[in-house]
Amino acid sequence: MTEEANKARDVERANVLINNEGQFDPAELREALENRICPFCGAGPFQIVLRHISSMHGIFRREMREMAEITWKKSLLPDDLYQRKSIW
């Protein structure tokens, strides 16, 4: 699949998450992120979904958290990975 076709597919999938005002629905974004699925291309589940989103779609962690209305206190890591990282 060409890069242009990939972008078109991403836009088509992302349009599902856009509400009537042309904005992303924060609840839909949160649900996708909590299930570790990319809300833009449907890929996943990922251990660290925000890493995929920033590297593949150019939307950085801070922007994604703001779009999904997720506070910094909320972890998006799977429990087992969160426990390992919190020991460090």
Side-chain angles (χ1 to χ4, degrees), residues 28-68:
E28 294 287 331
L29 290 175
R30 273 194 308 276
E31 182 179 347
L33 295 174
E34 288 170 355
N35 291 318
R36 300 180 299 151
I37 303 294
C38 177
F40 302 106
C41 67
F46 295 97
Q47 275 198 336
I48 305 174
V49 68
L50 292 178
R51 181 182 296 160
H52 162 79
I53 293 170
S54 65
S55 66
M56 298 303 291
H57 304 290
I59 299 173
F60 296 102
R61 290 175 169 101
R62 181 176 303 264
E63 293 174 274
M64 196 67 233
R65 282 182 173 274
E66 288 173 1
M67 289 169 65

Side-chain angles (χ1 to χ4, degrees), residues 72-85:
W72 285 97
K73 292 181 180 181
K74 167 87 171 119
S75 174
L76 292 173
L77 294 175
D79 290 337
D80 60 331
L81 186 59
Y82 179 78
Q83 294 300 326
R84 285 188 301 200
K85 285 190 169 283

